[in-house]
Amino acid sequence: MTGEFRFGVNMVVPDSRAAWVGKCRKVEDLGYDVLSAADHLGMAPPFPALVLAGEVTSRVKLNTFVLNAPFYNPVLLAREVTGTDQFTDGRLELGLGAGYVKEEFEAAGMPFPSARERVDHLERTILGLKRLYADPEHKPAPVRPEGPPLLLGGRGDRILTLAAEHADIIGFTGTAKTADGAPLGLATSEDIEERIGFVRSKLGDRDAEFNLLVHFVNVTEDRKAGLEDLEKLVGGQQSLAQLAELPTALVGSPAEVAEQLHAHRERFGLTYYTVLEQNMDQFAPVLEALR
């Protein structure tokens, strides 16, 4: 056990059946709590990938991280969600977002809606799913009457307000505000703290788990050199001192990263972290350090 923390791996590399099965088993064997499937063109289809992951694992939760809601009709999505929930014995966590990659809409032959329109669709999706979960005539039925736990991810005021109202898990992106459809920038720790404070102001009496996608992992005995390498990688977007306190950059020995996670929990309330597939091996010693 890793205390009050949870850790997930976001799988982003499509592969053969055998290779996918091996990777899924490895996620569980390394001690992670959640196995996630990303939703981008060129990656594995999320629902089949999670059903297969569920067949070859026994413990990890299975998460869509996160579905591009505007790509889905809410009624058809409900069938995929409840069917996957059934086939994985209730291990599904449903992650939803509003979508942000303009090129993927273009590749799919779809217009790129405005940010407002995308969040409107996300809201309709959430409400539609809740309505269908509660409908005794809806088949397949969800394992729990309220449906699988909902993760909503994003950074804008409207989507975070929706998350505060509806989500069991609120996913913070660690990205800075940019023009709609433009490449994402790197948020500072102050940016992330402000977004978390915004959510807290909207939550009221509700409880929610706070998730963060970790962009950079470097488990090394030389933390200073690791941070200097990261400073070069991000092209001076942030100083060495800023990177040292950034929760989306976990750099140092396993013990040092564990210490950072405790500090981030104290400052930000973050208890659920997701690392990218390419970082799952090197991050695994941190799980051991936390036990």
Side-chain angles (χ1 to χ4, degrees), residues 92-106:
L92 179 66
E93 290 182 356
L94 179 65
L96 294 176
Y100 65 92
V101 184
K102 182 179 180 181
E103 292 77 13
E104 292 191 344
F105 285 82
E106 294 171 346

Side-chain angles (χ1 to χ4, degrees), residues 70-82:
F71 278 2
Y72 297 86
N73 173 290
V75 174
L76 299 180
L77 178 60
R79 179 188 63 178
E80 300 299 313
V81 170
T82 56

Side-chain angles (χ1 to χ4, degrees), residues 26-106:
K26 186 175 188 179
V27 168
E28 186 162 84
D29 290 344
L30 287 174
Y32 288 95
D33 305 288
V34 185
L35 186 155
S36 298
D39 185 24
H40 290 289
L41 297 181
M43 297 183 184
F47 290 111
L50 293 181
V51 169
L52 179 54
E55 282 296 294
V56 299
T57 60
S58 60
R59 176 185 56 79
V60 290
K61 299 294 184 182
L62 304 161
N63 177 273
T64 57
F65 197 85
V66 291
L67 293 184
N68 183 349
F71 278 2
Y72 297 86
N73 173 290
V75 174
L76 299 180
L77 178 60
R79 179 188 63 178
E80 300 299 313
V81 170
T82 56
T84 302
D85 195 34
Q86 284 281 353
F87 288 163
T88 59
D89 291 328
R91 289 159 60 194
L92 179 66
E93 290 182 356
L94 179 65
L96 294 176
Y100 65 92
V101 184
K102 182 179 180 181
E103 292 77 13
E104 292 191 344
F105 285 82
E106 294 171 346

